[in-house]
Amino acid sequence: MTVEWFDLAGRMHAAATGRVTARLAHAPAPRPDWPVAVSARRARQGVTVTAATREHPPRTAIDGDGLALLHDLGVRITVGGPRTLVVADTHTLPALVALAHTTPRAGGRADTAAAIAFWADRADFPGTGVHLHLPATCQTRWVTGEPPTAERDIATWRAWLGVTDDTPAGLVTLADHVTAGPRLPTSAAVVRDDARAWHRARDDHANGANWAVADTRARAALGLRARCDTADLHQSGLLDDPLARRREVHTGTIVTGTAHPHTGRRAGLTVTCDRMDARLRAGNHVHGWAGEPDDGQSGWNATVADVQARGGALTVTLTAPRLDPRAHLPTAGERVTLRPAPTDPGMQNRGRGRYGTLYGRRGSWLSTGGRPTTTRRDVPLDVAIAAAEE
Amino acid sequence: MPLTTRPTGHSVVSVKDTTPRAEPADRDPSPPAIAEPLRSHAARLLTGTGLSPDTALAAARGEIDPADLPPEAAAAAAALADGWAAAEQEGTPR
């Protein structure tokens, strides 16, 4: 893979021009409607919280007063929609969760504690609109003329983006910068999922559920599945971006090459790849189009039937492509680009629905924790040998 | 603009290049230097390619004929040139 050199050129370009280099043409996260920028620190005297919004300048408070401050800024599970937590580091959210744990469930700040728990839950969902970790989001969108390690520090981004305010108010400005412009097409599905999760958390709170209690096995399994689905969707969404596709050629995720349509009765297509490091394997579903990675994606879907290295070149054989009516199959010798088939959020939802039904079924040993019955059968010799080596 | 131009403090500073222009024949053919700490980062990434940070910059900018590079530098030079070209491209979605 050559992606590190590709990125290095972007860094050198940024250093030469004094401006960040774009990795994406789209915003990697939705623009927050109600951002609340927070910086929280755990120390001996308690948790210190500094917070600001677009309308409210930064204020600082400790422990219970810190929760009251967030409550005043609208961080409550009982309001109509979620606030977006904007942070510049990885220790603010754990500090807030620790603070939320100290709050009595029946107390006046329980709704704020539940909203913090909601943030902590959604922070695991890439591309979410309710938790914005600024250095990570900026790194997804741009590169600077600094080494990657420097980009983990928000001061680097403030300097490169010209934001002089080093308080949480400056974080709100940075959040507006990094989310400006068109969103990734998959972002809408993640935002819908955020809204569903918010209403579920609000209903749970209204019904007296305790967010601090560990999830049931079924709920934990579904939560894990939802996180994996969102990560897949976000990765797929990044490939909808022309600049990201151009970069992913250097990781082997996007494949470019020359088309050789099959003749005769067996429809199909063989692509002679430009590079040997394609990540495609037999059985993978792909989307392809005639042209280069940063061209439009109107094309065809197909399944990889075979991948072979022949004569110093990698060839990918595709089964009969299913055409988009607006697209045409490539002709012999035409340049083509292949990407992993885009993830369908509707199909993911249906899959999670089926998964939830299976987990909720009476007698499911996964959700009840009962041991499955032992059964014995013959094992192929190579499996037995592999197990012995383990 | 010199490559050493960097954001300082809390704002990105754009420095006007006031260096007297040399006649083409007098120009130093070597590319401008890369400042630390990017230089160290680049040197680490380029280990084994036969490229130095300065030649890598020149290769990225298309100032070196790939035929003049050692074979082990070919992949890195191509990726650098593509990365530089992508950086020059406007980030507008199609």
Side-chain angles (χ1 to χ4, degrees), chain A residues 115-200:
Chain A
I116 291 171
F118 170 78
W119 278 340
D121 185 52
R122 295 302 295 177
D124 295 338
F125 291 76
T128 177
V130 299
H131 176 268
L132 200 58
H133 183 275
L134 282 174
T137 313
C138 289
Q139 277 187 296
T140 305
R141 185 159 195 179
W142 299 299
V143 290
T144 65
E146 311 273 349
T149 46
E151 292 177 352
R152 293 180 203 146
D153 186 347
I154 196 66
T156 301
W157 292 107
R158 273 204 306 267
W160 278 86
L161 298 173
V163 175
T164 53
D165 187 344
D166 63 355
T167 69
L171 299 185
V172 175
T173 309
L174 279 173
D176 287 340
H177 278 324
V178 76
T179 56
R183 297 187 316 196
L184 289 171
T186 50
S187 182
V190 182
V191 169
R192 278 197 300 275
D193 202 33
D194 283 339
R196 274 196 294 268
W198 173 261
H199 288 114
R200 202 164 46 240

Side-chain angles (χ1 to χ4, degrees), chain A residues 5 13 16 159-160 246 250, chain B residues 3 6 12 45 80 82 88-89:
Chain A
W5 297 318
H13 191 273
W160 278 86
R246 187 162 180 172
H250 294 270
Chain B
L3 263 179
R6 305 281 297 282
V12 178
L45 289 184
L80 285 159
D82 194 28
E88 299 259 271
Q89 191 178 320

Side-chain angles (χ1 to χ4, degrees), chain B:
Chain B
M1 196 184 310
L3 263 179
T4 46
T5 296
R6 305 281 297 282
T8 55
H10 294 300
S11 62
V12 178
V13 176
S14 175
V15 179
K16 191 178 177 189
D17 186 1
T18 55
T19 314
R21 294 281 168 218
E23 289 304 310
D26 302 332
R27 261 187 212 158
D28 181 357
S30 61
I34 303 166
E36 290 291 347
L38 184 58
R39 170 172 288 277
S40 304
H41 172 69
R44 196 167 58 252
L45 289 184
L46 294 165
T47 304
T49 64
L51 293 174
S52 71
D54 293 324
T55 52
L57 175 61
R61 295 159 68 115
E63 293 166 358
I64 297 181
D65 185 344
D68 294 338
L69 293 170
E72 64 271 23
L80 285 159
D82 194 28
W84 188 273
E88 299 259 271
Q89 191 178 320
E90 276 296 310
T92 310
R94 296 191 204 176

